[in-house]
Amino acid sequence: QQVGRGSVQELEVVVIDDGSTDGLEKVEQRFSGDRRVHFYHNEVRLGAAKSRNRGVLRARGKYVAFLDADDIWAPDKLKKQFARIYETGAVLCCTGRELMNPDGTLTGRVIGVKQTISYRDLLWHNQINCSSVVLPTEVARKYPMIHEDSHEDYITWMQVLRSYGEAAGIDEPLLKYRLSQTGKSGSKFKSAAMTYRAYRYMGFGTVKSVLLFISYALHGIWKYWRA
């Protein structure tokens, strides 16, 4: 994707199949003649982080945007994000989200984001959802998602903001985020452990990691109570 005063001038879709069982072959046949859509099939299951990294390496555009298979974008999401990137010069742009039930029905619960997110903000509370992010392809390649036993995307956002400064947020639910108990972060206790490991992988000591985790937990409770 290229940015010109906020417009999406060209779109490429890179689909990474990590062993899906939901009839993806029919979708691939449907788009077989569309040069903008490219399908890649992992020979073995790689997991979310490595699959995203593979997609980034295959991408040919200036920017990449992530979308997990069970989430949905609003039709004007990218257009609004590129306008915000052009306006602010931010290296990363994210949006708010509305929560969906596993069956796709909307819950009416909306989780917003700040218009400007600093590295310090992110340390205390991760408000950047992966499926809402747009950032330069070269930056995504510089900071690939690793440590899949933790929140690998959270680590990447912290690294990006530490190096490049503030992210821009659009406080609109331009992402429909599907809730799941079977996903990687479905268990709150498992998610909590992964958050703590993310701080440790960032190189923080035990005390700082514990303090950051306490703040993260309190923000999480407040976020879902408000939503």
Side-chain angles (χ1 to χ4, degrees), residues 151-181:
H151 292 300
E152 71 283 343
D153 55 335
Y154 184 28
I155 296 173
T156 292
W157 315 147
M158 286 190 285
Q159 291 174 328
V160 169
L161 266 61
R162 183 169 61 183
S163 296
Y164 291 94
E166 297 174 333
I170 299 177
D171 193 18
E172 298 179 38
L174 301 178
L175 169 68
K176 310 303 180 186
Y177 176 79
R178 195 180 306 266
L179 298 169
S180 173
Q181 292 300 318

Short mmCIF file of all heavy atoms in Angstrom, two decimals, residues 151-181:
data_model
loop_
_atom_site.label_atom_id
_atom_site.label_comp_id
_atom_site.label_asym_id
_atom_site.label_seq_id
_atom_site.Cartn_x
_atom_site.Cartn_y
_atom_site.Cartn_z
N HIS A 151 3.26 -12.48 24.60
CA HIS A 151 2.51 -11.66 23.64
C HIS A 151 3.51 -11.07 22.64
O HIS A 151 4.02 -9.97 22.84
CB HIS A 151 1.74 -10.56 24.36
CG HIS A 151 0.62 -11.07 25.22
ND1 HIS A 151 -0.44 -11.79 24.70
CD2 HIS A 151 0.38 -10.96 26.55
CE1 HIS A 151 -1.27 -12.11 25.67
NE2 HIS A 151 -0.80 -11.62 26.80
N GLU A 152 3.76 -11.82 21.57
CA GLU A 152 4.83 -11.44 20.64
C GLU A 152 4.55 -10.11 19.95
O GLU A 152 5.48 -9.35 19.66
CB GLU A 152 5.05 -12.54 19.60
CG GLU A 152 3.95 -12.71 18.57
CD GLU A 152 2.71 -13.43 19.07
OE1 GLU A 152 2.80 -14.09 20.12
OE2 GLU A 152 1.67 -13.35 18.41
N ASP A 153 3.27 -9.81 19.69
CA ASP A 153 2.96 -8.53 19.04
C ASP A 153 3.22 -7.36 19.99
O ASP A 153 3.70 -6.31 19.57
CB ASP A 153 1.52 -8.51 18.53
CG ASP A 153 0.50 -8.83 19.61
OD1 ASP A 153 0.85 -9.50 20.60
OD2 ASP A 153 -0.66 -8.39 19.47
N TYR A 154 2.93 -7.55 21.27
CA TYR A 154 3.18 -6.51 22.28
C TYR A 154 4.67 -6.17 22.33
O TYR A 154 5.06 -4.99 22.40
CB TYR A 154 2.67 -7.00 23.63
CG TYR A 154 2.77 -6.02 24.77
CD1 TYR A 154 2.72 -4.64 24.57
CD2 TYR A 154 2.88 -6.47 26.09
CE1 TYR A 154 2.79 -3.74 25.62
CE2 TYR A 154 2.95 -5.59 27.15
CZ TYR A 154 2.90 -4.23 26.92
OH TYR A 154 2.98 -3.34 27.97
N ILE A 155 5.51 -7.20 22.28
CA ILE A 155 6.96 -6.96 22.28
C ILE A 155 7.35 -6.13 21.06
O ILE A 155 8.13 -5.18 21.16
CB ILE A 155 7.72 -8.30 22.29
CG1 ILE A 155 7.44 -9.07 23.58
CG2 ILE A 155 9.22 -8.07 22.12
CD1 ILE A 155 8.02 -10.47 23.60
N THR A 156 6.80 -6.46 19.90
CA THR A 156 7.12 -5.71 18.69
C THR A 156 6.69 -4.26 18.81
O THR A 156 7.45 -3.35 18.47
CB THR A 156 6.44 -6.36 17.47
OG1 THR A 156 7.05 -7.63 17.21
CG2 THR A 156 6.59 -5.49 16.23
N TRP A 157 5.49 -3.99 19.32
CA TRP A 157 5.04 -2.59 19.46
C TRP A 157 5.94 -1.82 20.41
O TRP A 157 6.26 -0.66 20.15
CB TRP A 157 3.60 -2.51 19.95
CG TRP A 157 2.59 -3.42 19.32
CD1 TRP A 157 1.49 -3.97 19.93
CD2 TRP A 157 2.51 -3.86 17.96
NE1 TRP A 157 0.77 -4.74 19.06
CE2 TRP A 157 1.37 -4.69 17.83
CE3 TRP A 157 3.31 -3.66 16.84
CZ2 TRP A 157 1.02 -5.30 16.63
CZ3 TRP A 157 2.96 -4.28 15.63
CH2 TRP A 157 1.83 -5.07 15.54
N MET A 158 6.36 -2.46 21.51
CA MET A 158 7.26 -1.78 22.44
C MET A 158 8.59 -1.45 21.77
O MET A 158 9.13 -0.36 21.95
CB MET A 158 7.47 -2.64 23.70
CG MET A 158 6.27 -2.66 24.64
SD MET A 158 6.61 -3.44 26.26
CE MET A 158 6.62 -5.18 25.81
N GLN A 159 9.12 -2.39 21.01
CA GLN A 159 10.39 -2.14 20.32
C GLN A 159 10.25 -1.01 19.29
O GLN A 159 11.14 -0.17 19.18
CB GLN A 159 10.85 -3.43 19.64
CG GLN A 159 11.28 -4.53 20.60
CD GLN A 159 11.59 -5.83 19.89
OE1 GLN A 159 10.98 -6.15 18.86
NE2 GLN A 159 12.52 -6.59 20.43
N VAL A 160 9.15 -1.01 18.56
CA VAL A 160 8.94 0.01 17.53
C VAL A 160 8.83 1.39 18.16
O VAL A 160 9.48 2.35 17.72
CB VAL A 160 7.68 -0.31 16.70
CG1 VAL A 160 7.31 0.87 15.81
CG2 VAL A 160 7.91 -1.55 15.85
N LEU A 161 8.02 1.52 19.22
CA LEU A 161 7.83 2.84 19.83
C LEU A 161 9.08 3.30 20.56
O LEU A 161 9.37 4.50 20.61
CB LEU A 161 6.63 2.81 20.79
CG LEU A 161 5.30 3.26 20.16
CD1 LEU A 161 4.91 2.36 19.00
CD2 LEU A 161 4.19 3.31 21.21
N ARG A 162 9.84 2.37 21.11
CA ARG A 162 11.10 2.75 21.76
C ARG A 162 12.08 3.33 20.74
O ARG A 162 12.84 4.25 21.06
CB ARG A 162 11.72 1.54 22.46
CG ARG A 162 13.01 1.85 23.22
CD ARG A 162 13.44 0.69 24.09
NE ARG A 162 13.72 -0.52 23.32
CZ ARG A 162 14.06 -1.69 23.86
NH1 ARG A 162 14.12 -1.79 25.18
NH2 ARG A 162 14.29 -2.73 23.10
N SER A 163 12.03 2.84 19.51
CA SER A 163 12.96 3.30 18.48
C SER A 163 12.44 4.49 17.68
O SER A 163 13.22 5.35 17.28
CB SER A 163 13.26 2.15 17.51
OG SER A 163 13.92 1.09 18.17
N TYR A 164 11.13 4.55 17.44
CA TYR A 164 10.59 5.52 16.49
C TYR A 164 9.69 6.58 17.11
O TYR A 164 9.25 7.50 16.40
CB TYR A 164 9.81 4.80 15.39
CG TYR A 164 10.69 3.99 14.47
CD1 TYR A 164 10.92 2.64 14.72
CD2 TYR A 164 11.30 4.57 13.36
CE1 TYR A 164 11.72 1.88 13.88
CE2 TYR A 164 12.10 3.81 12.51
CZ TYR A 164 12.31 2.47 12.78
OH TYR A 164 13.11 1.73 11.95
N GLY A 165 9.37 6.47 18.38
CA GLY A 165 8.52 7.48 18.99
C GLY A 165 7.06 7.07 19.04
O GLY A 165 6.73 5.89 18.99
N GLU A 166 6.19 8.04 19.09
CA GLU A 166 4.78 7.81 19.38
C GLU A 166 4.03 7.15 18.23
O GLU A 166 4.35 7.34 17.07
CB GLU A 166 4.10 9.14 19.74
CG GLU A 166 4.66 9.79 21.00
CD GLU A 166 4.08 11.16 21.25
OE1 GLU A 166 3.68 11.83 20.28
OE2 GLU A 166 4.03 11.56 22.43
N ALA A 167 2.99 6.39 18.61
CA ALA A 167 2.05 5.82 17.65
C ALA A 167 0.81 6.70 17.60
O ALA A 167 0.50 7.43 18.56
CB ALA A 167 1.66 4.40 18.05
N ALA A 168 0.10 6.65 16.49
CA ALA A 168 -1.15 7.39 16.33
C ALA A 168 -2.32 6.44 16.49
O ALA A 168 -2.30 5.32 15.96
CB ALA A 168 -1.20 8.06 14.96
N GLY A 169 -3.32 6.88 17.23
CA GLY A 169 -4.51 6.07 17.42
C GLY A 169 -5.74 6.73 16.84
O GLY A 169 -5.84 7.96 16.80
N ILE A 170 -6.65 5.93 16.36
CA ILE A 170 -7.96 6.41 15.90
C ILE A 170 -8.99 5.80 16.84
O ILE A 170 -9.21 4.58 16.84
CB ILE A 170 -8.24 5.99 14.45
CG1 ILE A 170 -7.19 6.59 13.51
CG2 ILE A 170 -9.64 6.45 14.02
CD1 ILE A 170 -7.35 6.17 12.06
N ASP A 171 -9.61 6.65 17.64
CA ASP A 171 -10.53 6.17 18.67
C ASP A 171 -11.91 5.89 18.08
O ASP A 171 -12.91 6.49 18.47
CB ASP A 171 -10.62 7.19 19.80
CG ASP A 171 -11.29 6.60 21.04
OD1 ASP A 171 -11.35 5.36 21.14
OD2 ASP A 171 -11.75 7.38 21.89
N GLU A 172 -11.92 4.98 17.14
CA GLU A 172 -13.16 4.50 16.53
C GLU A 172 -13.06 2.98 16.42
O GLU A 172 -11.97 2.44 16.17
CB GLU A 172 -13.36 5.08 15.13
CG GLU A 172 -13.48 6.58 15.05
CD GLU A 172 -13.64 7.05 13.61
OE1 GLU A 172 -14.33 6.35 12.83
OE2 GLU A 172 -13.06 8.10 13.27
N PRO A 173 -14.17 2.26 16.58
CA PRO A 173 -14.13 0.79 16.49
C PRO A 173 -14.07 0.32 15.04
O PRO A 173 -15.01 -0.29 14.52
CB PRO A 173 -15.42 0.37 17.18
CG PRO A 173 -16.37 1.51 16.91
CD PRO A 173 -15.51 2.75 16.95
N LEU A 174 -12.94 0.59 14.38
CA LEU A 174 -12.77 0.20 12.98
C LEU A 174 -12.37 -1.27 12.83
O LEU A 174 -12.21 -1.76 11.71
CB LEU A 174 -11.72 1.09 12.32
CG LEU A 174 -12.04 2.59 12.33
CD1 LEU A 174 -10.90 3.39 11.69
CD2 LEU A 174 -13.36 2.88 11.64
N LEU A 175 -12.20 -1.93 13.96
CA LEU A 175 -11.92 -3.37 13.99
C LEU A 175 -13.01 -4.07 14.78
O LEU A 175 -13.38 -3.62 15.87
CB LEU A 175 -10.55 -3.63 14.63
CG LEU A 175 -10.23 -5.09 14.97
CD1 LEU A 175 -10.05 -5.91 13.70
CD2 LEU A 175 -8.98 -5.18 15.85
N LYS A 176 -13.51 -5.17 14.24
CA LYS A 176 -14.41 -6.05 14.97
C LYS A 176 -13.57 -7.24 15.43
O LYS A 176 -13.09 -8.03 14.62
CB LYS A 176 -15.58 -6.53 14.10
CG LYS A 176 -16.31 -5.40 13.35
CD LYS A 176 -16.86 -4.34 14.28
CE LYS A 176 -17.57 -3.25 13.48
NZ LYS A 176 -18.00 -2.11 14.33
N TYR A 177 -13.39 -7.32 16.75
CA TYR A 177 -12.46 -8.30 17.34
C TYR A 177 -13.25 -9.45 17.94
O TYR A 177 -14.08 -9.25 18.83
CB TYR A 177 -11.60 -7.61 18.40
CG TYR A 177 -10.66 -8.54 19.13
CD1 TYR A 177 -9.47 -8.95 18.54
CD2 TYR A 177 -10.97 -9.01 20.40
CE1 TYR A 177 -8.60 -9.81 19.20
CE2 TYR A 177 -10.11 -9.86 21.07
CZ TYR A 177 -8.92 -10.27 20.46
OH TYR A 177 -8.08 -11.11 21.12
N ARG A 178 -12.98 -10.66 17.47
CA ARG A 178 -13.74 -11.83 17.91
C ARG A 178 -13.16 -12.42 19.19
O ARG A 178 -11.97 -12.72 19.28
CB ARG A 178 -13.74 -12.90 16.81
CG ARG A 178 -14.79 -13.99 17.01
CD ARG A 178 -14.70 -15.01 15.88
NE ARG A 178 -14.77 -14.40 14.57
CZ ARG A 178 -15.90 -14.24 13.86
NH1 ARG A 178 -17.05 -14.65 14.37
NH2 ARG A 178 -15.86 -13.69 12.66
N LEU A 179 -14.01 -12.59 20.18
CA LEU A 179 -13.62 -13.21 21.44
C LEU A 179 -13.57 -14.71 21.27
O LEU A 179 -14.38 -15.30 20.56
CB LEU A 179 -14.61 -12.84 22.55
CG LEU A 179 -14.72 -11.36 22.88
CD1 LEU A 179 -15.93 -11.12 23.80
CD2 LEU A 179 -13.45 -10.86 23.54
N SER A 180 -12.62 -15.36 21.96
CA SER A 180 -12.49 -16.80 21.87
C SER A 180 -11.83 -17.33 23.12
O SER A 180 -10.88 -16.75 23.63
CB SER A 180 -11.65 -17.19 20.64
OG SER A 180 -11.38 -18.57 20.64
N GLN A 181 -12.34 -18.45 23.61
CA GLN A 181 -11.73 -19.11 24.76
C GLN A 181 -10.67 -20.12 24.33
O GLN A 181 -9.92 -20.62 25.15
CB GLN A 181 -12.81 -19.82 25.59
CG GLN A 181 -13.77 -18.87 26.29
CD GLN A 181 -13.08 -17.93 27.26
OE1 GLN A 181 -12.19 -18.34 28.01
NE2 GLN A 181 -13.48 -16.67 27.25
#
